[in-house]
Amino acid sequence: MKKAFEQHRKETGGQLQRLEQCFELLGEEPENTECHGIRGLIEEKKAFAEEDPSEDLIDVFNVGAAIKVETYEICEYESLIDMAREMKHRKVAQLLTQNLKEEKATLKNMETFSEKVKPNEMMTDEQQRKASSSAGTRKKRAA
């Protein structure tokens, strides 16, 4: 998992270069603005860290957080690509599409990790029994 995060960090450098190319093609200067959605995810991580979680739970949290971030970024790239195409900025759309493909690949990797790092595997036998019995009760109520 650590290797996947490092790989994506390197990819992000290439993504930033492509974004800079987009701004150049559009004749615009990038603005330094805060993304409130990502800020919320950062605050969520800080609050989680204050709970002094175990290493196993940190892994679960990090994978979940990465999935949230990648999903957010994918939605943003899809919107930007649609706008670029509408405005007939073909090269900009191509550059953004490259970034989108990388984000989708990273999301797929994180989803694979999430299947391997499951909270149930970190529960004690007693916690698993309780979770199973309460799930069975919920299923009976739903029927």
Side-chain angles (χ1 to χ4, degrees):
M1 188 167 63
K2 185 177 180 179
K3 198 177 211 180
F5 279 116
E6 289 173 9
Q7 173 64 30
H8 189 58
R9 198 170 288 123
K10 289 177 187 174
E11 282 179 354
T12 300
Q15 291 172 0
L16 287 172
Q17 288 177 343
R18 286 191 285 274
L19 289 172
E20 288 170 358
Q21 287 178 305
C22 289
F23 279 103
E24 286 176 26
L25 289 167
L26 296 169
E28 297 288 335
E29 288 292 321
E31 294 178 18
N32 190 13
T33 57
E34 181 179 44
C35 175
H36 297 290
I38 298 299
R39 169 58 51 202
L41 294 174
I42 291 168
E43 293 302 320
E44 194 175 276
K45 177 156 176 106
K46 287 178 184 176
F48 177 75
E50 289 175 5
E51 295 175 17
D52 194 30
S54 69
E55 289 297 316
D56 290 341
L57 287 177
I58 290 171
D59 287 345
V60 171
F61 181 89
N62 286 338
V63 170
I67 289 171
K68 289 176 190 178
V69 169
E70 296 311 315
T71 302
Y72 192 95
E73 290 176 338
I74 287 167
C75 289
E76 289 298 317
Y77 278 121
E78 289 173 340
S79 294
L80 291 171
I81 291 165
D82 287 344
M83 282 193 282
R85 287 182 179 148
E86 270 303 304
M87 298 171 73
K88 310 287 189 234
H89 291 294
R90 193 172 146 208
K91 181 63 178 171
V92 171
Q94 288 173 341
L95 291 165
L96 295 172
T97 299
Q98 286 179 272
N99 285 5
L100 176 62
K101 287 178 182 176
E102 290 176 0
E103 296 298 347
K104 285 183 175 182
T106 300
L107 176 60
K108 189 173 182 176
N109 284 342
M110 290 301 121
E111 288 171 340
T112 299
F113 285 125
S114 77
E115 293 170 9
K116 294 176 183 175
V117 183
K118 295 185 186 262
N120 281 344
E121 294 170 0
M122 289 170 248
M123 291 183 189
T124 64
D125 289 339
E126 181 63 25
Q127 289 171 324
Q128 286 180 12
R129 278 192 293 280
K130 286 181 182 178
S132 294
S133 69
S134 66
T137 303
R138 283 192 298 263
K139 285 181 186 175
K140 288 178 187 174
R141 285 186 208 148

